Amino acid sequence: MKRVILIVFDSFGIGELPDAKEYHDEGSNTLCNIAKKVPGFSLPNLEKMGLSKVDGVNCLTVPEKIKGAYGRCIEISKGKDTITGHWEIAGVILDSPLNVYPNGFDKHIIDEFCEKTNKKACLGNIVASGTEIIKDLGDEHVKTGFPIVYTSADSVFQIAAHEDVIPLPELYHMCEIAREMLVGDKCVGRIIARPFIGTSGNYTRTSNRRDYAIDPPTKTMLQYINEDSKKVFAVGKIEDIFNKHGIDYAVHIINNNDGIDKTLDCMDKLKEDGLIFTNLVDFDMLYGHRNDFLGYAKALIEADKRMDEVISKMVPGDMLIITADHGCDPTTESTDHSREYIPLLVYTKNMERGINLGTRDCFCDIGKTILDYLDVENKLNGVSFLSELRLL
């Protein structure tokens, strides 16, 4: 049995890319800028896997023995958002970035959305934090019944609504309408339902979020695996990012710890060749975008501790890969994603130790290697590093 456990620490960048200046991200380094601000910061398990030996990482303790293979990857797709990063890991390269709306959506888009959803108006239509906008506009929404529309640095059209004001089926239908609208020249990567509950001054988002993504433009690693009669288990928002294509089993999560719990559950459930693909989003959603470097550091330390559980549950034939999809440096003035290298950490029980995989030219080397390891024929972008691991 061959299984790959691929865990994405969402936004865990490790240093600015050569083209960071084009994205106004000079000086971004999510990992090391956090480490410099937090005394005693350490990630023992990731350090043992080789994170402290990766080119450009000079902010962690180097252990006496490295038990994994390590490197970093360059993003060659245009953009720096969630979908772009995950798609490139899975072999899809975008020549142009997905649309973003830094000044809110054009009037004709909002007018069309209101007409098709039978709403007289929308509230918001700005770039905003999801928690802040329901704090600011929640009372007006409850009073008027108008949906709250907002966006972010990602290519997203988000609709927030109180579950008692706009019931979930109606909110989801509104998202489906927006998804049909926002294609072609005005396309966005995801439409996101953002339901919340509570009373004035105490509004909280619920776990009933739902994403409506566009289809990847070319075949992904997931589809290749699926078409080869091997299984793909998706944990977290992976199902949404790939719009359900190539996925056999999916489970959503409420936080990072739940994501790791669900990953461990999937390791119990998957009894044949396949991929477990997990996204841990708290780093990005709760801390990176809010410039909360202390929260980010604590979340990294907690996730690092729990990698012990993942490694302990691995059996011969399992391969663990830990990586990221972009950066989101919480120490800079920007609350946007940052154009950064992503880490590449690989561990199996039967490989040579301490292998430096260097700097990979594309995130898609990860997907190419996974297909190589699972013996899946493919035409995916990327260069496999499987032979460099020197499996015993």
Side-chain angles (χ1 to χ4, degrees):
M1 181 174 70
K2 291 182 178 180
R3 304 185 305 181
V4 177
I5 302 101
L6 172 61
I7 302 179
V8 174
F9 281 31
D10 200 305
S11 83
F12 187 41
I14 57 170
E16 65 178 85
L17 285 173
D19 63 357
K21 185 175 181 179
E22 298 175 22
Y23 295 82
H24 310 290
D25 288 329
E26 304 97 316
S28 291
N29 188 324
T30 300
L31 168 61
C32 286
N33 285 345
I34 289 172
K36 291 171 185 175
K37 282 185 168 287
V38 180
F41 179 80
S42 178
L43 300 172
N45 281 313
L46 299 187
E47 289 165 7
K48 289 174 186 174
M49 289 183 69
L51 180 60
S52 50
K53 295 272 287 181
V54 173
D55 292 346
V57 175
N58 55 7
C59 55
L60 297 175
T61 301
V62 179
E64 187 175 330
K65 292 184 179 179
I66 302 295
K67 64 182 181 181
Y70 55 89
R72 62 182 183 175
C73 300
I74 294 173
E75 184 168 24
I76 59 174
S77 293
K78 300 299 182 182
K80 52 179 180 177
D81 67 3
T82 297
I83 284 186
T84 304
H86 281 79
W87 281 4
E88 185 166 317
I89 289 169
V92 177
I93 297 171
L94 296 182
D95 295 327
S96 58
L98 297 169
N99 290 329
V100 292
Y101 291 86
N103 300 309
F105 297 97
D106 299 341
K107 183 177 183 299
H108 73 272
I109 292 176
I110 296 297
D111 288 347
E112 181 183 358
F113 176 72
C114 290
E115 179 183 354
K116 290 185 174 180
T117 56
N118 295 315
K119 300 295 180 183
K120 291 182 180 178
C122 291
L123 304 177
N125 191 26
I126 57 174
V127 173
S129 157
T131 52
E132 291 301 313
I133 202 166
I134 62 174
K135 185 191 302 181
D136 295 340
L137 298 177
D139 288 351
E140 188 176 355
H141 161 72
V142 171
K143 179 181 177 180
T144 64
F146 300 156
I148 301 170
V149 172
Y150 65 105
T151 187
S152 74
D154 268 4
S155 179
V156 292
F157 183 99
Q158 303 185 86
I159 309 170
H162 196 293
E163 293 187 4
D164 291 338
V165 176
I166 299 179
L168 289 174
E170 182 181 356
L171 175 59
Y172 295 156
H173 181 59
M174 293 169 68
C175 289
E176 291 168 359
I177 290 171
R179 180 68 284 165
E180 292 178 357
M181 284 175 47
L182 295 174
V183 294
D185 292 342
K186 54 187 178 182
C187 180
V188 296
R190 286 176 293 161
I191 312 298
I192 306 179
R194 291 287 197 176
F196 63 94
I197 57 174
T199 56
S200 180
N202 293 289
Y203 296 123
T204 58
R205 297 197 295 193
T206 74
S207 60
N208 293 317
R209 164 181 171 161
R210 188 170 291 180
D211 293 41
Y212 301 78
I214 55 173
D215 290 341
T218 58
K219 189 183 292 188
T220 70
M221 164 187 71
L222 284 67
Q223 291 163 289
Y224 275 112
I225 295 171
N226 202 246
E227 290 173 5
D228 199 54
S229 300
K230 296 177 172 66
K231 300 298 183 185
V232 175
F233 283 19
V235 179
K237 61 182 183 179
I238 297 300
E239 178 186 37
D240 300 323
I241 291 169
F242 291 92
N243 208 18
K244 301 180 173 60
H245 292 291
I247 294 170
D248 296 284
Y249 171 81
V251 59
H252 287 256
I253 63 175
I254 57 176
N255 54 38
N256 279 357
N257 272 322
D258 187 43
I260 296 169
D261 288 341
K262 295 292 197 310
T263 300
L264 295 168
D265 289 343
C266 286
M267 293 175 73
D268 289 331
K269 288 183 172 74
L270 183 59
K271 301 296 186 182
E272 57 188 292
D273 288 7
L275 168 69
I276 300 168
F277 194 171
T278 297
N279 172 278
L280 302 178
V281 73
D282 288 359
F283 308 113
D284 183 65
M285 180 177 69
L286 298 183
Y287 309 116
H289 286 304
R290 299 180 189 178
N291 285 351
D292 181 358
F293 67 86
L294 282 176
Y296 205 128
K298 290 176 182 177
L300 284 171
I301 291 166
E302 178 63 26
D304 178 79
K305 288 178 182 176
R306 299 209 61 197
M307 289 305 102
D308 261 342
E309 299 171 59
V310 176
I311 291 170
S312 295
K313 192 178 277 287
M314 292 174 66
V315 298
D318 284 349
M319 176 182 288
L320 172 64
I321 301 176
I322 297 174
T323 188
D325 54 343
H326 49 70
C328 194
D329 189 336
T331 71
T332 66
E333 291 184 3
S334 172
T335 58
D336 191 358
H337 292 154
S338 40
R339 183 84 170 174
E340 297 186 47
Y341 292 99
I342 60 169
L344 172 60
L345 305 176
V346 186
Y347 172 76
T348 77
K349 291 182 178 294
N350 65 328
M351 61 181 285
E352 290 190 18
R353 307 302 179 205
I355 297 168
N356 187 350
L357 297 171
T359 298
R360 315 302 302 188
D361 291 334
C362 179
F363 290 6
C364 49
D365 285 8
I366 297 171
K368 192 73 171 180
T369 302
I370 291 170
L371 294 183
D372 195 5
Y373 183 66
L374 294 175
D375 300 311
V376 176
E377 292 187 12
N378 67 90
K379 296 182 180 179
L380 204 70
N381 291 304
V383 177
S384 172
F385 51 78
L386 184 64
S387 62
E388 297 175 51
L389 297 178
R390 297 192 289 277
L391 301 182
L392 303 175

